[in-house]
Amino acid sequence: MKDAARHPAVEIRDAVKLYGSFAALKGVSLAIRDNEFFTLLGPSGCGKTTLLRMIAGFEAATEGSVRLFGEDIGGLPPDRRPVNTVFQHYALFPHMTVAENVAFGMLRLKRPKAEAEARAREMLALVKLDAFADRRPGQLSGGQQQRVALARAMAPAPKVLLLDEPLSALDLKLRQAMRVELKDLQRETGITFVFVTHDQEEALTMSDRIAVMSEGEVQQIGTAREIYERPVNRFVADFIGETNLIEATLEGREGAMALCRLPGGALLRAEAAPALPPGHAGHLSIRPERIALVPPGPEATLEGTVEHVVYLGTDTQHIVRLDAGGSITARTQNAHSAGPGAGIGARTGLRLDEGATRLLVD
């Protein structure tokens, strides 16, 4: 592809996908950089898999375009696109050896047999399965089969690798281990990875950037830190990790900060988009780990009564009924003291970290 270095690896422009009157995608635009681990994240039915299938060529856009390194590939069939896909179900051929499975795609592309076999061995070494080359898929664990599927998809050296929730069939411990391996593979090969998942922890762990999707639209694109710490709306804040969402009204500005009034009358300083006008009603987002339990009094930003205490191993969760109305959840690491007033029914103060509060658009 000509002048590929000057273009994004994948560029989606105003993509719409209609199934009858239902819009699975509603004018999606995004650009994925070369050699990037990019994740499409969202709940079931948000359009992320439809978008992935559109890049692969299994779905045609109703409107808009798909470009790879600047070239419009909308008219190319799947087998003519320089991409490969790893699905949830690995679809390995049970009658072939592991090495034969990995070499299969190369042979389909009419590569010389010796080249295909050498490449298969190289890919199996990359996924640490070279010792299993002569086994059948049925003799491997689920995690090993997943790595074979990855090796097979990477063997033809695609410019872009599409991964459709490939870890969903694995147990928790294996999923956690495979996250590290996937990211290492992406770095080693230099292939652009486009990863689809509904698992926020997977997205936060592996991604260079994340596109959060909902109801066929992209809500926000950013790094894991940007998405988590500076969500642009209530959906993103609520979907990524755990947060407190408290009703509030913007009353005015104090320098760069917004002054927000809670229903019970308390006034909090918060970050807010400059375009939001006074009188705007929204929700304050405050992450539980940014809240400390302190004695009631001048050190406290808010005060209330402890309603629930939940021990979670690494930390303890306190749910506090606020004097200002509503409740709020705080998390305290168990490496440190939970602070005074931690028992159920006790009065406590809450101190919010500087910059922890953000007024969101609903």
Side-chain angles (χ1 to χ4, degrees):
M1 294 187 177
K2 296 179 180 179
D3 300 321
R6 297 190 301 173
H7 298 282
V10 180
E11 187 177 11
I12 311 296
R13 296 184 182 179
D14 303 314
V16 173
K17 180 61 181 178
L18 299 178
Y19 296 100
S21 60
F22 173 70
L25 296 174
K26 306 172 183 176
V28 170
S29 294
L30 55 84
I32 300 170
R33 301 163 187 155
D34 190 20
N35 194 19
E36 182 174 36
F37 197 122
F38 190 91
T39 297
L40 301 172
L41 172 67
S44 297
C46 72
K48 58 187 185 296
T49 295
T50 300
L51 187 56
L52 193 82
R53 289 174 61 83
M54 193 176 290
I55 299 169
F58 302 130
E59 300 280 357
T62 307
E63 298 176 18
S65 65
V66 179
R67 295 174 178 271
L68 256 63
F69 297 95
E71 180 181 329
D72 191 330
I73 59 168
L76 291 179
D79 61 347
R80 296 280 307 281
R81 300 185 181 202
V83 305
N84 257 347
T85 306
V86 179
F87 298 100
Q88 294 180 38
H89 304 291
Y90 312 134
L92 301 176
F93 298 114
H95 63 286
M96 293 183 179
T97 66
V98 166
E100 289 169 343
N101 266 278
V102 177
F104 178 78
M106 302 281 289
L107 296 174
R108 283 288 302 274
L109 293 171
K110 309 298 185 185
R111 305 282 179 84
K113 185 178 179 181
E115 178 188 334
E117 290 175 348
R119 179 67 172 171
R121 296 280 178 175
E122 179 187 341
M123 289 296 100
L124 287 172
L126 190 62
V127 298
K128 302 177 178 64
L129 285 178
D130 42 331
F132 297 80
D134 297 323
R135 296 193 187 184
R136 307 282 181 183
Q139 297 174 292
L140 305 182
S141 69
Q144 289 168 334
Q145 290 185 41
Q146 196 257 12
R147 283 188 278 169
V148 174
L150 278 168
R152 181 178 62 184
M154 292 187 298
K159 291 182 178 294
V160 177
L161 188 65
L162 310 175
L163 301 107
D164 187 9
E165 304 207 46
L167 308 184
S168 61
L170 306 180
D171 61 46
L172 177 60
K173 290 282 188 182
L174 194 50
R175 283 204 310 273
Q176 291 172 336
M178 284 306 303
R179 291 170 192 164
V180 177
E181 290 196 25
L182 270 179
K183 185 58 184 173
D184 286 346
L185 281 172
Q186 191 272 323
R187 286 197 188 105
E188 288 181 45
T189 61
I191 298 171
T192 301
F193 277 27
V194 184
F195 187 88
V196 161
T197 185
H198 64 274
D199 188 313
Q200 303 119 45
E201 190 173 324
E202 281 184 3
L204 293 172
T205 301
M206 296 187 292
S207 311
D208 294 317
R209 287 190 304 149
I210 302 165
V212 183
M213 297 186 65
S214 173
E215 298 183 348
E217 298 178 310
V218 174
Q219 303 295 314
Q220 184 173 357
I221 299 175
T223 64
R225 184 179 294 275
E226 288 167 348
I227 294 286
Y228 185 82
E229 295 188 359
R230 301 182 66 83
V232 296
N233 58 35
R234 182 181 175 183
F235 174 84
V236 175
D238 198 26
F239 189 76
I240 302 292
E242 182 182 356
T243 196
N244 295 285
L245 293 169
I246 303 171
E247 290 184 9
T249 302
L250 196 159
E251 288 214 342
R253 301 276 177 172
E254 187 179 271
M257 302 297 286
L259 299 176
C260 300
R261 183 77 64 181
L262 275 56
L267 198 63
L268 293 183
R269 288 160 46 88
E271 294 184 359
L276 291 181
H280 173 85
H283 282 79
L284 294 174
S285 172
I286 312 168
R287 299 291 184 185
E289 68 273 14
R290 305 292 299 276
I291 304 170
L293 273 67
V294 296
E299 189 182 355
T301 310
L302 297 167
E303 296 184 9
T305 303
V306 178
E307 287 191 324
H308 300 281
V309 179
V310 183
Y311 177 77
L312 297 170
T314 57
D315 49 38
T316 298
Q317 177 178 278
H318 299 82
I319 301 174
V320 178
R321 175 62 56 182
L322 297 174
D323 297 344
S327 63
I328 196 167
T329 299
R331 282 180 179 260
T332 305
Q333 285 192 349
N334 290 328
H336 307 290
S337 168
I344 294 175
R347 295 284 301 163
T348 188
L350 299 165
R351 184 184 66 234
L352 311 184
D353 287 353
E354 186 70 27
T357 308
R358 187 169 179 80
L359 181 65
L360 301 175
V361 177
D362 289 352

